[in-house]
Amino acid sequence: MEEENGKEVEQLQDVTVMFAGDSGDGMQLTGSQFSNTTALLGNDLNTLPDYPAEIRAPAGTIYGVSGFQLHFSSKDIHTPGDSPDVLVAMNPAALKKNLPNLKPHAMIIVNIDAFTQKGLNLAKYESNPIEDDSLKGFRVIPVHISKMTETALKDTGLSPKDIARSKNFFALGMMYWLFNRPLEPTMKWVNQKFGKKPVLIDANIKALKAGYYFGDTAELFTTRYKVNAAKLPAGKYRNISGNEATAMGFVAASLLSDRELFLGSYPITPASEILQYLSKYRNYNVSTFQAEDEIAGVVSTIGAAFAGKLAITSTSGPGLALKTEAVGLAVITELPIVVINVQRGGPSTGLPTKTEQADLLQAMYGRNGEAPVAVVAASSPSDCFYMAIEASRIALKHMTPVILLTDGYIANGSEPWRIPEVSELKKIEVPNPPAPEDYQPYLRDENLVRPWAAAGTPGYEHRIGGLEKANITGDVSYDPDNHDEMIRIREEKVEKIQKFIPELEVDGDDEGELLVVGWGGTYGSITDAVHKAREKGYKVSHAHFRYINPMPKNTEEVLRRFKKVLVPEINKGQLAILIRNKFLLPVIQYNRVRGLPFKSSELEDKMIELLGGKND
Amino acid sequence: MTDNTKINVEPLKPKDFSSGLDVRWCPGCGDYSILSQIQKTFAKIGYQKHEPIVISGIGCSSRFPYYLSTYGFHGIHGRAPALASGTTLALPDHPVWVATGDGDLMSIGGNHFIHACRKNMDIKLLLFNNRIYGLTKGQYSPTSEKGKITKTSPYGSIDYPFNPISLALGSNATFVARTVDREPKHMQQIFEKASEHKGTAFIEIFQNCVIFNDGAFDDVSKKDVKDDHMLVLEDGQPMLFGKEKEKGIILDGFEPKAVNLNDGKYTIDDVIVHHEKDESGILAFILAHMTDNPNLPTPVGVFRSIRKQTYGEALQEQIKNVTEEKGKGTLEMLLSEGNIWEVN
């Protein structure tokens, strides 16, 4: 073991840290600063912000606790970590909420100043856990975070309230010391953020440094830790969240298709950030329209698609429910739109800030009439970038609405992303309509796609709408046989997308005892669990859907090569229903709907159980 | 319009704006007159077929786009202003006309209506107001008078109606007007003025439903009463009405009153002069509520017409400014954003 300034330096491969405090304590900011700095050091990382729906829940209560979990490593990782190794608890409630989930012998750094009688009462502690033996086995490090922040900032001229708000930076500085991280990236951020308020720059940097130096000089910490850079493939990297990747993906799709981007949207947790990010891209010719409601969001999108734009709308579950009728309008008018659903806990308002996968059947079937749409799902924060491009490609090439499913976990979570070269991104070819004299609104090409003649183009004047259309001419038609034919065409048109999407890949052996099949945001937990089970000698493979409607053409063949198929989902078995229905295959479900991503350990246990083993 | 396709093109005639489809409104429906005046106006303005985009919601009036040879979109119930918002933002140089009814715009589409006005979307909203639900066969609407007996109000409607002009003014529409299906010349004038307006242009059209609410506007617009019951607003002119223009509107405080100029008490100098460019909107509001007073004539014409930056203009301005400041976005630029590090 190395030594530095009289303290031991221990090499770690892999650490999970949880920052937890009141929802006004700035824990999300602390966590994201730590993530960005950690990413810059070259660690692989994965994050799980977990915060209450209330903006400022009553201080000190358990339901007001906001947490940011961060897993970083010198190897390739896929999850935010099952259980934290280190907890930073800014108050008793944060301790109480997170204690059950900690690893045995975890380090607990508490802000001892918040462990007053009032704080303990609010957290419903009968006695002080720091003083009794309820934390036996953990490494408890009590720190006067509040008091030391006050002392450090007493000459800044800030009000006591503003000083109290800086204590998260003290905690951050301390953690930077503990894990050997530089202060510069955060200092740079502080300078940018508070550029016009030098007093706040001064205060935040003072608090940050005070925390760092405290770690260095205090006797409390005998060891500091080093987590080396991960061996990631060569290239340029940045840290990215799913919502930012989604926004960037659509800007990229706009450039790749040479169609200006239009977003009609209404703010909703956890999708609002997509609207926020896209509002910044004016110089990319991006038009954002913050509509009066969810319905206007999607309907304005349809109006822009009619006029030839790459038109998208972003929402979350309850918003998708409101957009239902309009998505049907896009189906019958066969216009290209993309609807992004950042799934959250439902039904109804449900758990707005928590994650879930329970809108798959809503995306597939949640409309009146026979109204097929293409459905794709992103599997990680950075995959949101690629699936945004794919969703756009399918919409523009096949003249169909596409629903892109992400979820609260990958939307808010972040990971290092190897930024692609421009040459790695494939152009999106948008078919041109035939010459005006040959044009009819519902002509079909070999993929049953109708031509897209943007409104306003001379020579292609036509009328479309929600009434059933005669095939080819596009005139309103009440003819029974035409209706039957149009229903079949709309379905086949979506099925034909299968020719243009990649096959389902298998991670692991191509055939065998057990295949784990997932979709969307469970990719990381499943990958982690499968790899761990394999390291223990179990034969288990993994296939992950990013294209759900239509499914890849080799789907049935892949599934039938395995004796057992396990489908873990954060819902009651919606992909399982689709697979059973389509292939009459008996699949085994694993469903937990707790508003949180799966722990890889629970999935690993389930796989090993199915293979007749026992996980120790 | 910046469209150069117009050069050397023959001007179109009203019939060129017919799509050729059989029109399926009931015989005698007021919609026929509106369709005809729109076709005449489009020809007179000199539109080419690809220029105007006509958008509708659901209801009898919303079949409108199918009967025109322009681009048309028959949307879903209540959502025409939202559909039109997306289209106008995508096509800022094209006039977007919306055909809608009192159920479509005032009831299910009320939210979209007020916000389109508030944002000053560059769209023209034609409200075909017949004070009844026609396509669903005769239920009372948000503009039906209280006490109206319909299929869903057999003992009389207990709803208070909206005053659409007042609602449009309250939502800050920049052009607010009213016309009548029986007055084709007046209707054309109003349509032409609306076509020249940049921003939300709202036009309430008193439209007769021969089947479910026949004669709803007879009190105002029937030949024998219209001189006394209809006040034709003209910008810069005193508000006169009556067969010999012998009556006028004066203001008593904020209250409008009808007076006879022949009885010696008042002269034309007492009569208020219409000023449609009044920024405050106070006069327009007073005029809007004259409709609710049975002792006063119902105003038709332009209540308000002011110029304000539209949503689309503001959006284009931002796009231009940010592009000048940051440079036109490219894939290379997009992929070099954020805190980047390199792994070798």
Side-chain angles (χ1 to χ4, degrees):
Chain A
M1 201 170 279
E2 299 171 50
E3 227 175 81
E4 203 176 88
N5 197 16
K7 305 213 171 174
E8 291 172 352
V9 177
E10 193 180 325
Q11 289 276 354
L12 295 176
Q13 193 183 55
D14 191 292
V15 182
T16 300
V17 177
M18 166 65 103
F19 292 94
D22 254 333
S23 41
D25 277 348
M27 291 296 101
Q28 300 305 320
L29 174 62
T30 311
S32 58
Q33 282 299 315
F34 196 92
S35 307
N36 289 340
T37 301
T38 294
L40 286 171
L41 286 185
N43 292 130
D44 197 6
L45 70 89
N46 200 296
T47 70
L48 174 63
D50 183 29
Y51 50 93
E54 295 77 14
I55 303 302
R56 296 280 186 275
T61 60
I62 289 185
Y63 59 83
V65 172
S66 168
F68 190 103
Q69 188 169 314
L70 163 73
H71 181 197
F72 59 104
S73 175
S74 57
K75 55 174 195 170
D76 185 24
I77 54 166
H78 308 100
T79 73
D82 285 357
S83 308
D85 302 286
V86 179
L87 167 68
V88 180
M90 300 299 281
N91 66 15
L95 174 66
K96 192 166 198 182
K97 185 174 177 198
N98 289 290
L99 193 58
N101 198 28
L102 297 184
K103 278 212 186 101
H105 314 302
M107 178 191 285
I108 303 173
I109 300 168
V110 294
N111 176 16
I112 192 70
D113 298 325
F115 282 67
T116 58
Q117 197 52 50
K118 190 182 162 205
L120 294 167
N121 289 347
L122 281 166
K124 304 209 161 41
Y125 269 120
E126 276 167 16
S127 69
N128 190 340
I130 312 295
E131 290 163 4
D132 63 26
D133 59 359
S134 55
L135 300 180
K136 223 170 131 186
F138 295 105
R139 285 168 61 200
V140 183
I141 301 180
V143 181
H144 289 283
I145 295 179
S146 301
K147 282 193 185 140
M148 283 193 284
T149 308
E150 280 167 36
T151 312
L153 303 190
K154 66 177 190 300
D155 297 330
T156 54
L158 280 186
S159 67
K161 200 176 141 200
D162 284 338
I163 289 177
R165 287 180 57 187
S166 303
K167 62 181 183 291
N168 60 330
F169 269 65
F170 185 94
L172 180 63
M174 201 165 59
M175 295 302 282
Y176 278 162
W177 177 83
L178 188 62
F179 289 101
N180 250 303
R181 324 263 101 175
L183 302 180
E184 286 70 25
T186 293
M187 284 163 57
K188 194 175 152 200
W189 178 87
V190 168
N191 273 303
Q192 278 169 1
K193 172 86 181 168
F194 301 111
K196 285 173 191 149
K197 293 175 184 159
V199 59
L200 289 180
I201 297 180
D202 181 42
N204 280 298
I205 289 179
K206 267 196 175 132
L208 186 74
K209 287 186 170 169
Y212 192 89
Y213 297 138
F214 171 75
D216 209 14
T217 52
E219 299 296 324
L220 290 164
F221 298 103
T222 52
T223 312
R224 69 194 298 208
Y225 302 95
K226 242 187 188 168
V227 179
N228 287 336
K231 286 189 188 65
L232 299 169
K236 283 185 183 157
Y237 281 80
R238 62 166 291 182
N239 194 37
I240 199 154
S241 75
N243 275 344
E244 188 169 12
T246 302
M248 280 179 70
F250 283 107
V251 177
S254 161
L255 293 162
L256 290 167
S257 62
D258 206 13
R259 294 272 171 171
E260 287 171 6
L261 184 64
F262 176 91
L263 170 75
S265 182
Y266 185 75
I268 183 171
T269 303
S272 312
E273 280 176 332
I274 297 172
L275 170 59
Q276 288 166 207
Y277 282 123
L278 282 173
S279 311
K280 293 183 185 168
Y281 286 104
R282 291 277 191 261
N283 57 322
Y284 289 76
N285 239 320
V286 174
S287 299
T288 52
F289 172 52
Q290 182 174 317
E292 57 273 19
D293 57 30
E294 292 282 354
I295 296 172
V298 63
V299 172
S300 61
T301 296
I302 295 171
F306 179 52
K309 293 257 179 174
L310 169 57
I312 66 172
T313 181
S314 53
T315 190
S316 183
L320 183 61
L322 284 164
K323 293 179 195 299
T324 292
E325 186 197 12
V327 176
L329 178 67
V331 169
I332 202 164
T333 52
E334 304 190 33
L335 282 171
I337 64 164
V338 180
V339 182
I340 308 145
N341 177 4
V342 184
Q343 298 168 97
R344 68 188 218 189
S348 185
T349 308
L351 300 170
T353 59
K354 310 291 175 186
T355 198
E356 203 160 287
Q357 293 187 295
D359 295 345
L360 177 58
L361 293 182
Q362 180 181 221
M364 287 289 297
Y365 301 117
R367 287 164 293 283
N368 63 307
E370 296 288 349
V373 300
V375 180
V376 298
S379 55
S380 72
S382 60
D383 191 42
C384 290
F385 176 81
Y386 298 103
M387 292 319 283
I389 297 175
E390 284 303 287
S392 307
R393 188 190 311 281
I394 292 170
L396 296 175
K397 192 177 162 85
H398 299 272
M399 292 290 278
T400 175
V402 179
I403 296 180
L404 166 60
L405 296 172
T406 72
D407 62 49
Y409 159 51
I410 61 173
N412 287 320
S414 64
E415 62 179 358
W417 171 44
R418 189 188 68 77
I419 304 163
E421 297 293 331
V422 170
S423 58
E424 290 172 58
L425 303 175
K426 220 169 70 191
K427 276 234 156 245
I428 298 177
E429 305 294 341
V430 185
N432 287 319
E437 54 276 22
D438 301 325
Y439 170 79
Q440 296 195 73
Y442 280 72
L443 269 180
R444 303 284 169 187
D445 71 7
E446 69 278 15
N447 297 312
L448 299 175
V449 177
R450 81 174 187 92
W452 190 21
T457 316
Y460 292 92
E461 296 80 16
H462 64 274
R463 274 67 57 197
I464 55 172
L467 287 170
E468 183 62 284
K469 296 291 177 290
N471 196 26
I472 314 297
T473 65
D475 291 337
V476 173
S477 168
Y478 295 94
D479 178 67
D481 291 331
N482 175 73
H483 181 53
D484 185 65
E485 187 190 6
M486 289 298 272
I487 279 179
R488 278 189 296 108
I489 287 174
R490 288 188 286 260
E491 188 182 26
E492 273 174 44
K493 185 180 77 171
V494 171
E495 280 167 9
K496 279 179 186 292
I497 297 167
Q498 207 177 52
K499 285 197 289 183
F500 303 90
I501 60 173
E503 295 202 337
L504 190 61
E505 284 175 24
V506 178
D507 168 20
D509 294 340
D510 273 350
E511 53 180 29
E513 202 67 31
L514 178 63
L515 178 71
V516 185
V517 173
W519 67 275
T522 53
Y523 174 80
S525 319
I526 297 175
T527 302
D528 203 38
V530 166
H531 289 183
K532 281 184 182 148
R534 257 191 243 148
E535 279 166 23
K536 292 178 184 168
Y538 293 97
K539 297 253 180 219
V540 50
S541 301
H542 174 202
H544 211 79
F545 284 101
R546 294 157 84 218
Y547 301 84
I548 300 177
N549 197 38
M551 286 180 179
K553 55 178 174 291
N554 64 334
T555 300
E556 182 169 12
E557 185 219 323
V558 167
L559 300 181
R560 290 203 186 276
R561 292 202 298 250
F562 292 84
K563 285 189 186 139
K564 287 178 181 166
V565 175
L566 171 66
V567 185
E569 290 178 87
I570 308 176
N571 61 38
K572 290 300 285 173
Q574 301 192 6
L575 179 68
I577 286 176
L578 296 180
I579 292 176
R580 276 196 207 104
N581 177 49
K582 226 174 155 63
F583 308 118
L584 294 174
L585 249 166
V587 298
I588 302 157
Q589 293 179 207
Y590 182 83
N591 309 104
R592 289 287 181 280
V593 198
R594 302 171 59 239
L596 291 166
F598 285 128
K599 288 188 174 189
S600 57
S601 57
E602 61 181 314
L603 297 178
E604 193 190 331
D605 289 349
K606 182 70 190 175
M607 294 170 197
I608 292 175
E609 178 203 314
L610 288 174
L611 291 169
K614 195 171 180 316
N615 199 16
D616 304 312
Chain B
M1 209 165 297
T2 56
D3 209 317
N4 55 11
T5 49
K6 223 168 176 172
I7 299 162
N8 298 329
V9 180
E10 283 287 300
L12 299 177
K13 300 194 172 63
K15 67 171 173 31
D16 295 324
F17 285 101
S18 161
S19 69
L21 281 190
D22 293 337
V23 182
R24 296 199 200 173
W25 287 310
C26 309
C29 176
D31 291 359
Y32 284 94
S33 167
I34 303 173
L35 178 62
S36 166
Q37 306 332 312
I38 278 287
Q39 288 165 343
K40 284 177 191 158
T41 307
F42 280 10
K44 187 169 177 207
I45 298 166
Y47 281 162
Q48 291 298 308
K49 284 185 193 173
H50 68 278
E51 288 172 334
I53 319 286
V54 183
I55 288 176
S56 66
I58 292 291
C60 294
S61 59
S62 288
R63 297 297 173 96
F64 210 75
Y66 289 123
Y67 304 137
L68 290 164
S69 60
T70 62
Y71 279 98
F73 200 144
H74 179 210
I76 44 177
H77 203 16
R79 317 302 172 201
L83 197 56
S85 295
T87 303
T88 183
L89 295 180
L91 294 173
D93 295 332
H94 286 254
V96 176
W97 292 74
V98 175
T100 175
D102 40 311
D104 198 44
L105 192 69
M106 297 280 114
S107 195
I108 187 168
N111 198 36
H112 307 306
F113 170 61
I114 58 175
H115 288 281
C117 294
R118 174 177 71 82
K119 294 182 177 189
N120 200 24
M121 282 292 168
D122 188 17
I123 57 179
K124 297 154 206 337
L125 292 165
L126 310 184
L127 169 64
F128 297 31
N129 183 10
N130 55 19
R131 294 187 174 157
I132 197 79
Y133 283 104
L135 201 60
T136 50
K137 300 188 168 62
Q139 301 81 20
Y140 66 95
S141 89
T143 56
S144 297
E145 60 278 17
K146 191 167 186 289
K148 188 173 192 68
I149 303 220
T150 72
K151 285 178 185 165
T152 48
S153 54
Y155 306 111
S157 152
I158 52 179
D159 283 28
Y160 295 102
F162 263 139
N163 179 325
I165 298 284
S166 175
L167 188 60
L169 290 168
S171 312
N172 273 328
T174 46
F175 180 97
V176 179
R178 177 188 284 143
T179 186
V180 185
D181 58 2
R182 282 194 170 108
E183 301 285 337
K185 284 273 171 302
H186 186 260
M187 207 193 304
Q188 283 175 42
Q189 281 168 21
I190 298 293
F191 288 167
E192 218 179 307
K193 283 186 182 168
S195 78
E196 289 157 9
H197 181 74
K198 192 91 181 141
T200 308
F202 172 74
I203 302 167
E204 180 189 20
I205 306 165
F206 284 168
Q207 175 251 323
N208 193 40
C209 172
V210 278
I211 307 295
F212 296 109
N213 201 14
D214 196 19
F217 301 102
D218 281 1
D219 277 358
V220 177
S221 60
K222 218 172 169 197
K223 211 170 179 185
D224 53 344
V225 300
K226 71 175 188 182
D227 288 338
D228 289 326
H229 291 184
M230 203 159 79
L231 171 70
V232 182
L233 299 171
E234 281 174 75
D235 193 33
Q237 298 299 314
M239 295 182 195
L240 299 173
F241 63 107
K243 195 159 271 166
E244 312 292 331
K245 298 282 179 216
E246 76 284 11
K247 296 186 227 177
I249 303 295
I250 62 152
L251 271 184
D252 182 3
F254 286 111
E255 207 178 323
K257 283 187 174 159
V259 297
N260 195 316
L261 300 179
N262 292 340
D263 64 9
K265 273 193 192 158
Y266 297 95
T267 71
I268 192 148
D269 295 335
D270 299 312
V271 175
I272 41 175
V273 172
H274 186 42
H275 182 35
E276 61 188 33
K277 301 264 182 288
D278 172 33
E279 289 278 341
S280 76
I282 294 167
L283 180 62
F285 264 111
I286 291 171
L287 294 170
H289 286 281
M290 282 172 62
T291 321
D292 307 331
N293 186 339
N295 299 319
L296 293 173
T298 292
V300 300
V302 179
F303 287 69
R304 183 186 201 211
S305 173
I306 61 164
R307 178 72 168 101
K308 263 199 324 200
Q309 188 179 43
T310 68
Y311 188 100
E313 286 170 337
L315 178 65
Q316 289 308 320
E317 187 181 293
Q318 277 192 358
I319 288 175
K320 187 172 157 272
N321 291 345
V322 178
T323 306
E324 273 169 19
E325 186 196 322
K326 297 188 176 173
K328 190 162 168 49
T330 62
L331 272 173
E332 287 79 2
M333 263 166 78
L334 180 72
L335 296 174
S336 55
E337 284 177 6
N339 280 329
I340 292 178
W341 71 94
E342 217 156 322
V343 173
N344 298 313

